[in-house]
Amino acid sequence: MAYDVSPTARTLMVLELIQNSPGITAEQLGDKLGVSERAARRYVAILREADIPIESVRGPYGGYRVGRGLRLPPLMFSTTEALGLVMAVLEGPRGAADPVENALGKIIRVLPEQIARSTDAIRRVSARGPDPGVRTPEPEITAALVSYSTACRRVRIHYRRHHDEWPMEVDPWAVVVRRGRWYLLCWSHTKDSQRVLRVDKVTKVEPLAEEFTPPDLDPLAAVEEHLAMGWKYPIEVLIDAPRADAACWIPRSMGRLEAIDDTHTRLLASTDEPDWYAAHLTAILAPYRILGSPEIQAASKALGQRLLAASTLADTVD
């Protein structure tokens, strides 16, 4: 340890060492701090004078540990540990009056500024309600992506899909949490296109020399629109309503809405499940026409026939 470390810094380091290694001895503290055993005991005494309940146990298996006092002692977190806590909180439900939300704010306030800015941005654009089977990414990988996103620094990532893994050079525009899944919204120089990548599939992050200017966009909206495209069956629907009205019926995750004029809107999307998508189109409270694909048209027709049959059966019963 450097000789010029201040007594205050050493005292805080003693607290962190005791928290991380309950039962640590004064001799071990001295070795880790580069001071004498007597000096280590003096730092413990300073913590006790600050009303931090440091307990000592005698004997061959004794040492120092943080006890339970009238107030919570300061907690020492590494950046990765703090971000890991933030990630866990973001995956659970919360509201403005939630004490967990307040605790999250306190953690963010003591993170290094660069990480704090990005983490707070993630909190603001995260969409709630985790999907089943979500996988939490590695905090170290997530912290690196968040940091380089904030610094506008190009990176080389290693991305795993199935049993293969390959490198990609990307501009990490933003890290977004949607329904418990962590996504990297980026520009891929390898593919020369915008990409939305699963953070839990990133296995390595390497910073590059190049910097980038992020585009002016809504990260969550961009991710949701991207996830609505690229499936097996393309969808085009004309809606006889203004775009603002259509947006109330069709969430961004179901496709991209384009204003045709003041009273008509086009919905562009894709799906692997025509029956599921056709059912969700019935939320549109205005006339609409399905221009494609044939699979969606067939699914909507079958759904309409089922609804008519159910209505006819109800009349018969009455």
Side-chain angles (χ1 to χ4, degrees):
M1 173 147 316
Y3 66 88
D4 58 349
V5 174
S6 70
T8 301
R10 281 202 176 99
T11 303
L12 291 174
M13 291 173 186
V14 166
L15 175 59
E16 182 175 9
L17 288 169
I18 295 174
Q19 287 177 336
N20 292 339
S21 303
I24 191 170
T25 65
E27 180 181 3
Q28 292 169 328
L29 286 172
D31 289 343
K32 291 182 178 294
L33 294 173
V35 300
S36 67
E37 182 177 339
R38 181 179 179 182
R41 294 183 186 279
R42 186 165 62 249
Y43 292 129
V44 171
I46 293 173
L47 291 173
R48 287 170 170 164
E49 289 173 2
D51 292 332
I52 297 175
I54 303 297
E55 298 177 348
S56 57
V57 179
R58 298 183 180 277
Y61 302 104
Y64 296 112
R65 68 190 68 246
V66 179
R68 298 185 182 276
L70 296 178
R71 61 178 181 175
L72 185 69
L75 297 177
M76 311 292 289
F77 296 111
S78 68
T79 298
T80 299
E81 289 171 339
L83 185 58
L85 285 174
V86 171
M87 291 167 65
V89 172
L90 287 177
E91 291 176 1
R94 67 183 197 275
D98 189 348
V100 175
E101 176 72 6
N102 295 332
L104 176 60
K106 292 179 180 180
I107 293 174
I108 290 176
R109 282 195 291 274
V110 299
L111 285 173
E113 182 180 359
Q114 191 176 67
I115 297 295
R117 280 201 312 270
S118 299
T119 304
D120 195 44
I122 290 172
R123 177 173 62 162
R124 289 195 302 270
V125 302
S126 63
R128 310 312 310 155
D131 288 328
V134 297
R135 292 180 55 186
T136 302
E138 291 292 331
E140 294 86 354
I141 295 290
T142 309
L145 291 173
V146 167
S147 176
Y148 295 128
S149 170
T150 302
C152 298
R153 184 88 172 268
R154 186 175 302 174
V155 297
R156 178 182 294 110
I157 64 172
H158 292 250
Y159 196 70
R160 181 184 67 250
R161 189 166 185 179
H162 304 302
H163 300 293
D164 297 324
E165 184 176 311
W166 63 88
M168 300 173 61
E169 290 191 8
V170 303
D171 293 342
W173 291 346
V175 175
V176 175
V177 186
R178 179 183 179 276
R179 304 183 81 72
R181 295 191 187 276
W182 291 70
Y183 296 97
L184 174 65
L185 175 64
C186 64
W187 179 266
S188 170
H189 293 274
T190 305
K191 300 293 186 180
D192 194 29
S193 64
Q194 176 181 305
R195 284 289 188 268
V196 173
L197 306 175
R198 288 263 299 275
V199 176
D200 62 290
K201 294 182 179 295
V202 178
T203 61
K204 188 176 182 181
V205 181
E206 302 170 342
L208 301 177
E210 294 84 355
E211 296 182 348
F212 65 89
T213 300
D216 184 15
L217 49 70
D218 180 340
L220 179 58
V223 167
E224 291 188 324
E225 289 180 359
H226 184 95
L227 294 177
M229 308 302 290
W231 303 101
K232 184 175 181 180
Y233 303 111
I235 298 168
E236 182 178 0
V237 179
L238 295 184
I239 305 171
D240 294 342
R243 188 187 184 283
D245 291 346
C248 296
W249 307 320
I250 300 296
R252 288 183 303 220
S253 57
M254 284 190 64
R256 184 173 69 250
L257 293 170
E258 298 178 349
I260 299 175
D261 53 38
D262 291 342
T263 57
H264 296 85
T265 303
R266 177 182 289 107
L267 168 64
L268 297 174
S270 64
T271 185
D272 279 355
E273 302 179 45
D275 293 337
W276 175 88
Y277 202 96
H280 279 70
L281 286 177
T282 60
I284 300 175
L285 302 180
Y288 64 89
R289 295 174 297 285
I290 301 172
L291 304 183
S293 63
E295 290 78 10
I296 299 297
Q297 293 172 336
S300 295
K301 183 177 180 179
L303 176 60
Q305 291 172 341
R306 287 175 53 203
L307 293 175
L308 286 173
S311 176
T312 302
L313 179 60
D315 291 340
T316 303
V317 173
D318 290 343

